[in-house]
Amino acid sequence: MIETKFKNSEVGLIPEDWKAVPLSAIGEVKMCKRILKEQTDITGDVPFYKIGTFGKEADAYIPRELYEQFKGMYPYPKKGAILISAAGTIGRTVVFDGEDAYFQDSNIVWIDHKEKDVVNPYLEHYFKIISWKSENGGTISRLYNDNLKSTFLCYPEDKIEQSRIATALSNIDDLIATTKKLTEKKRNIKEGAMQDLLSGKRRIKGYGIHKSNKKTPIGVIPEDWNVSPLEKLCSLKARIGWQGLTTGEYLDQGDYILITGTDFKDGYINWETCSYVSKWRYDQDPYIQIKVGDVLISKDGTIGKVAYLNSIPMEGTLNSGVFVVRPKNEKVLTNHYLSWLFKSVWFNTFIDQLSGGSTINHLFQKDFEKFLLVYPSDINEQSAISNALSDMDSEISSLEARLTKYQSLKQGMMQQLLTGKIRLI
């Protein structure tokens, strides 16, 4: 093992065979020629990227003749150049792919250099750990040329080591991108499965054999399925206003957890964000004391969020912004299946129709009770559907946990590799 000796620099301790220099030492700050608004159109030959569309789809274009003229007469990035946002969310980067495009002057810039000292792939990753500051150390809302030129960069003098570092970080980036793509694909599959399974369009194996369909107020469903308004099958309970629970009574710790509408997350409750209440407030209303299997719906603020209590960490209750919905007869309708109905596109449409385009911030019980539930008569099929969708949820949660792990790993790698604390030599 080769021992690495360190030295002090403007960016802290770095290996003795590394350099720390201002960006001005490796190249010049460049930008494209200014494009006037009247020179752009919503369609055209060459995409023109403004700060609002940087890294996204262009919404403006310039004529090819103007593009060729300005590209030949004024600064223009080389393929592989690291474009930097100098306004908006400063310091975002995009690697220029060399395709015909033009970029908004002063808001999108790059360091023009010949890669004599630093290769672009290394520079791309290093930009991601820079905390852009003014010369006196204060935060800034815009990157001016002087900010860029005075910002220090550290790098190994050996370009092979630079490339190894860049490759290692690019590999974890690829892993993160692949995991994100797979997670999104699984989410889309689940959404499609929800629409099919919760409408009877697609049946779980073993159910619906030799069954035909029937017409209902919500459309065609299997003949062995039913449609009923919520009020017929379920009870709705919530904290009554006169009870007067205030935020001043919320506790940071205690024996009785309190669920509010802000604690809903991805169809469940984020117990880590919950507050607590006294025993007296918990005992005050037995109807809203939570149980395993309860289905909760937010009725204030962002209305219509759903949470299924597949487990509870301790005894608890609700604040006034949450309904608890319980089937009157679990031999007719199961809690778990009910929770999936509230996650469906039909419930989202129902909430949207109630708001009618306004900024409605309260879900009234008299309106909520009219929501139509569609369900199989056989509760075993309800359970089979619920379990199938829960399995998909579990797979997505596993991918999300993996993604978080990779992102954390990447942050650690960047801090270690781009400062020389870990060497790839």
Side-chain angles (χ1 to χ4, degrees):
M1 179 180 291
I2 300 175
E3 180 184 0
T4 297
K5 295 183 179 180
F6 290 86
K7 64 184 179 182
N8 287 313
S9 76
E10 289 80 359
V11 296
L13 288 175
I14 61 172
E16 285 187 343
D17 56 339
W18 281 41
K19 281 188 175 181
V21 299
L23 289 175
S24 59
I26 68 167
E28 296 182 71
V29 180
K30 298 287 186 179
M31 66 188 73
C32 291
K33 173 69 174 175
R34 174 162 296 182
I35 296 291
L36 303 177
K37 184 177 181 181
E38 53 266 28
Q39 293 175 302
T40 69
D41 203 340
I42 58 173
T43 60
D45 303 318
V46 179
F48 174 59
Y49 292 94
K50 298 167 287 186
I51 195 62
T53 55
F54 182 59
K56 304 174 184 177
E57 292 292 326
D59 61 5
Y61 296 82
I62 61 173
R64 178 160 296 280
E65 182 181 355
L66 181 65
Y67 165 73
E68 296 293 352
Q69 177 188 350
F70 279 16
K71 180 182 178 183
M73 295 177 61
Y74 303 105
Y76 189 79
K78 303 181 185 72
K79 182 178 180 179
I82 314 303
L83 305 176
I84 309 166
S85 62
T89 304
I90 63 171
R92 290 184 295 128
T93 60
V94 170
V95 179
F96 181 46
D97 59 11
E99 297 292 325
D100 291 348
Y102 215 69
F103 303 94
Q104 189 176 35
D105 69 296
S106 75
N107 287 339
I108 301 171
V109 300
W110 67 93
I111 304 296
D112 186 39
H113 69 117
K114 301 184 185 302
E115 298 189 80
K116 179 174 68 70
D117 299 307
V118 185
V119 297
N120 271 330
Y122 179 89
L123 192 60
E124 175 197 0
H125 291 290
Y126 195 88
F127 279 149
K128 294 174 184 176
I129 67 166
I130 292 178
S131 178
W132 300 99
K133 303 284 186 182
S134 63
E135 289 187 3
N136 60 12
T139 57
I140 55 176
S141 58
R142 181 176 184 84
L143 273 179
Y144 293 99
N145 284 5
D146 285 345
N147 300 128
L148 282 159
K149 290 190 292 185
S150 62
T151 295
F152 271 77
L153 157 80
C154 74
Y155 60 92
E157 295 187 61
D158 183 355
K159 287 186 181 179
I160 294 176
E161 186 176 0
Q162 292 180 31
S163 295
R164 286 174 178 165
I165 292 170
T167 298
L169 293 173
S170 293
N171 286 342
I172 191 70
D173 276 344
D174 290 343
L175 193 56
I176 288 170
T178 299
T179 306
K180 282 182 177 179
K181 187 176 180 179
L182 180 57
T183 304
E184 188 60 30
K185 179 181 177 181
K186 294 294 184 181
R187 285 198 190 103
N188 292 336
I189 290 172
K190 189 191 92 171
E191 288 302 313
M194 284 177 66
Q195 292 194 45
D196 289 347
L197 291 173
L198 295 173
S199 65
K201 182 179 178 181
R202 175 176 148 201
R203 306 293 293 268
I204 297 287
K205 186 177 180 180
Y207 296 95
I209 299 172
H210 306 307
K211 297 292 183 181
S212 58
N213 294 326
K214 63 184 179 183
K215 291 184 179 179
T216 72
I218 65 167
V220 176
I221 64 171
E223 65 176 354
D224 56 338
W225 282 43
N226 300 310
V227 176
S228 297
L230 180 66
E231 61 186 341
K232 183 178 178 181
L233 296 180
C234 300
S235 66
L236 275 69
K237 299 295 181 182
R239 184 172 291 275
I240 301 171
W242 61 260
Q243 293 178 356
L245 176 64
T246 66
T247 56
E249 298 176 75
Y250 293 7
L251 306 174
D252 292 332
Q253 56 186 359
D255 297 321
Y256 303 94
I257 205 160
L258 177 71
I259 297 174
T260 73
T262 59
D263 301 317
F264 288 51
K265 183 180 179 182
D266 300 330
Y268 300 93
I269 292 298
N270 181 5
W271 301 108
E272 294 181 359
T273 65
C274 290
S275 298
Y276 301 83
V277 289
S278 65
K279 185 178 188 306
W280 176 72
R281 281 300 193 184
Y282 169 75
D283 289 335
Q284 186 178 33
D285 192 339
Y287 292 112
I288 57 171
Q289 292 173 357
I290 59 174
K291 307 171 185 175
V292 173
D294 276 346
V295 181
L296 309 181
I297 300 291
S298 62
K299 65 187 185 77
D300 288 312
T302 304
I303 65 172
K305 292 189 294 183
V306 60
Y308 175 64
L309 303 189
N310 57 343
S311 64
I312 56 176
M314 62 175 65
E315 294 176 309
T317 186
L318 311 175
N319 82 339
S320 59
V322 180
F323 280 121
V324 57
V325 188
R326 294 172 177 140
K328 295 176 181 178
N329 185 347
E330 284 204 60
K331 293 182 179 179
V332 175
L333 181 69
T334 68
N335 297 61
H336 201 187
Y337 182 83
L338 177 64
S339 73
W340 284 108
L341 288 177
F342 289 139
K343 296 174 187 178
S344 69
V345 65
W346 302 287
F347 186 63
N348 292 335
T349 301
F350 174 77
I351 294 295
D352 290 342
Q353 289 173 343
L354 285 181
S355 64
S358 67
T359 55
I360 180 173
N361 59 4
H362 183 78
L363 178 59
F364 293 96
Q365 183 165 335
K366 64 179 178 62
D367 296 321
F368 187 21
E369 288 176 335
K370 300 298 186 286
F371 177 60
L372 294 177
L373 305 176
V374 56
Y375 59 98
S377 301
D378 186 343
I379 62 169
N380 292 318
E381 185 175 4
Q382 293 180 31
S383 295
I385 291 171
S386 301
N387 292 337
L389 294 174
S390 292
D391 287 345
M392 293 182 187
D393 250 0
S394 296
E395 187 176 10
I396 291 169
S397 295
S398 177
L399 285 170
E400 289 172 338
R402 191 186 306 172
L403 178 61
T404 300
K405 178 181 177 181
Y406 292 155
Q407 289 170 330
S408 177
L409 176 62
K410 179 194 169 185
Q411 289 301 314
M413 288 175 64
M414 289 172 69
Q415 292 299 327
Q416 297 293 316
L417 292 175
L418 295 170
T419 57
K421 292 183 175 66
I422 292 178
R423 305 293 298 273
L424 298 181
I425 53 178

